[in-house]
Amino acid sequence: MSDGQSYKDVKVLLSTLHTVVWPGCQWSELPLSELMSGSGTVKKNYFKAILLFHPDKQGDEADVEQLVRAERIFHALNEAHKISER
């Protein structure tokens, strides 16, 4: 979609997170086909991502880049979730 809506789809965000995380992050690739198979899968993985990328959960060893990425990922996931709940 050229209007940016695809970036607001929580399924698309979850399936592409592995491309923007930092080395050593505990997130692994999640195929879009798996997310399309049922809403329970989306909800489970959304909450897993929110816990993993919450800025306050990054710890003292996190560098500035990791903190910025975590904050932006967390914000994008929350916005996409709000849109999907409408």
Side-chain angles (χ1 to χ4, degrees):
M1 293 183 198
S2 61
D3 62 356
Q5 283 301 112
S6 64
Y7 298 111
K8 296 178 183 171
D9 185 331
V10 71
K11 293 174 188 169
V12 172
L13 286 173
L14 288 169
S15 69
T16 57
L17 275 179
H18 67 282
T19 65
V20 296
V21 297
W22 51 91
C25 180
Q26 298 297 315
W27 187 261
S28 55
E29 188 172 352
L30 185 61
L32 184 58
S33 59
E34 185 177 318
L35 294 167
M36 299 302 279
S37 66
S39 62
T41 304
V42 173
K43 191 174 193 175
K44 179 183 87 168
N45 285 293
Y46 166 76
F47 284 114
K48 178 181 173 185
I50 287 298
L51 288 173
L52 182 62
F53 297 110
H54 193 288
D56 292 343
K57 302 280 186 187
Q58 297 310 306
D60 296 332
E61 69 279 351
D63 61 15
V64 174
E65 182 181 354
Q66 181 178 333
L67 291 172
V68 170
R69 284 188 189 196
E71 186 175 324
R72 293 188 75 185
I73 291 168
F74 182 79
H75 178 72
L77 285 168
N78 276 321
E79 289 299 311
H81 184 65
K82 286 178 192 174
I83 290 169
S84 72
E85 292 292 308
R86 290 182 191 170

